[in-house]
Amino acid sequence: MPSKCFDYTIEQIKAMGKDKTKANFSKLLNLFFVPVFPVEIKREIVSSIGRYDYNDEIYDFISLEAFNNNNPMELIYQMFRTCLYKARDDKRFEDLRKRIKNYYDNEVINKADDFYNFKEKQTVNKISKPMLLVGDAEKVLNILPDNSVQLIFTSPPYYNAREYADYSSYHGYLSKMKSILLVLHRVLEDGRFIVINVSPVITKRIGREFESIRYPIHYDFHKILTEAGFYFIDEIQWIKPEPSVPDRIGGYRQTRKPLSYKPNCITESIMVYRKNADFLLDKNMKNKEYDRHEDEEIDTSNCWYIAPARDKNHPAVFPDELARRVLKYYSFEGDTILDPFAGSGTTGRVARAMNRVPIMCEINKEYADLINKAMPEYYNQYYNQEEAKSKCEEINTDII
Ligand SMILES: C[S@@+](CC[C@H](N)C(=O)[O-])C[C@H]1O[C@@H](n2cnc3c(N)ncnc32)[C@H](O)[C@@H]1O
């Protein structure tokens, strides 16, 4: 896109906005009405006009031009920004801000307005010691303060896919998951990420004459995640070597009969969502120290090729390497990492190796005991069911 037009470049317009003479101001106002200027030059003109203190003229200018339907929305947004900024000291711009917002009432304007209204409400409660909680995540996580976790990474129980899954209906399963997501939303720091590993599951059929049901869990998780207050950022595909997954294509390979095609499923979804916040991600990254790890490989695409893992004690573990990448890209050293469905404790083990503070929660006491046994000195706050129960009672909460 050329930034030069009729002898004016964006840089020159910017310079006029900085060199605040009355002559420059009048020139900028006139330049705005030159019809042939491209929108990016005009946007810079509006932005530069807004930097002056001539509020009477600026107010008159925006009062007319913000409601001129011939102006592209990019210019209107810039005028709206000027109003947000000037409204701090000049009441007229507050009214103008409201009028523009009501007139356009679109997502961009509303988002900018939310951002402006955001008052520093950071009550980050940092947890500095590893913790292992035994019980139902919906209940035991109540002992954690608001905004106390910087990343949630987990793989929820798969509806009826494994022996531990025990829900009377898919709807009941989703409803339980949503209740837990609401708790996770409370404990996650504003603007931080929740990363969920899921894949479609199939329910067992009781005979060949019946059809088995396949559930696209990740689609339904999108709905409950957004209802709980998170929004979509990315979907990463975890891709496994084909020989490592159950064979579904055998039947078709033999018959080549259309409709009987069932490809081998070598991917799982890694759903990346952010907790709603009225501020940009920049704020979550501000003042964080980190090592650049110059020579470390970067995953440049959303396809991650990682072999699956097995564990003799747990039927559904994810590999350390998957946790390592998620923690590397979505958390800083020293951050508190929560896995509400800890299983064999993969997330906790990797978090420890990467100098993060893990909080693990697991409903199955045997699995929890195994996690604790593997690192007895580490989980210095191990709450078994009874202890967690009393902790919850302290804050008037029930536990299973
Ligand atoms: C898919 S596995 C997690 C495996 C884990 N990512 C690993 O690598 O070992 C899900 C775990 O969630 C646990 N779980 C199921 N419902 C739970 C609940 N309501 N609260 C806490 N844990 C639960 C199950 O016992 C199971 O161990």
Side-chain angles (χ1 to χ4, degrees), residues 135-137 155-157 164 167 176 180 314 316-318 340-346 361-364 367:
D136 180 354
S155 156
Y164 55 72
Y167 304 93
K176 174 71 186 177
I180 295 177
H314 197 287
V317 300
F318 49 48
F341 305 112
S344 67
T346 310
C361 171
E362 171 56 52
I363 200 168
N364 182 313
Y367 293 153

Side-chain angles (χ1 to χ4, degrees), residues 133-141 153-158 162 164-167 173 176-177 180 197 309 311 314-320 322-323 339-349 360-365 367-368 371 400:
L133 305 166
V134 191
D136 180 354
E138 186 185 350
K139 316 267 172 59
V140 278
L141 293 181
F153 177 43
T154 198
S155 156
Y158 295 178
R162 308 278 184 193
Y164 55 72
D166 185 22
Y167 304 93
Y173 164 77
K176 174 71 186 177
M177 291 301 119
I180 295 177
N197 164 219
D311 185 295
H314 197 287
V317 300
F318 49 48
D320 283 21
L322 182 65
D339 186 343
F341 305 112
S344 67
T346 310
T347 306
R349 195 171 56 242
M360 299 289 99
C361 171
E362 171 56 52
I363 200 168
N364 182 313
K365 189 165 174 346
Y367 293 153
I371 297 176
I400 52 160

Side-chain angles (χ1 to χ4, degrees), residues 111 121 185 190-192 226 228-231 274-278:
K111 190 106 185 133
K121 56 167 180 184
H185 183 268
D190 293 344
R192 287 303 201 105
T226 47
F230 303 100
Y231 68 91
R274 183 174 182 239
K275 178 174 171 178
N276 285 341
D278 298 330

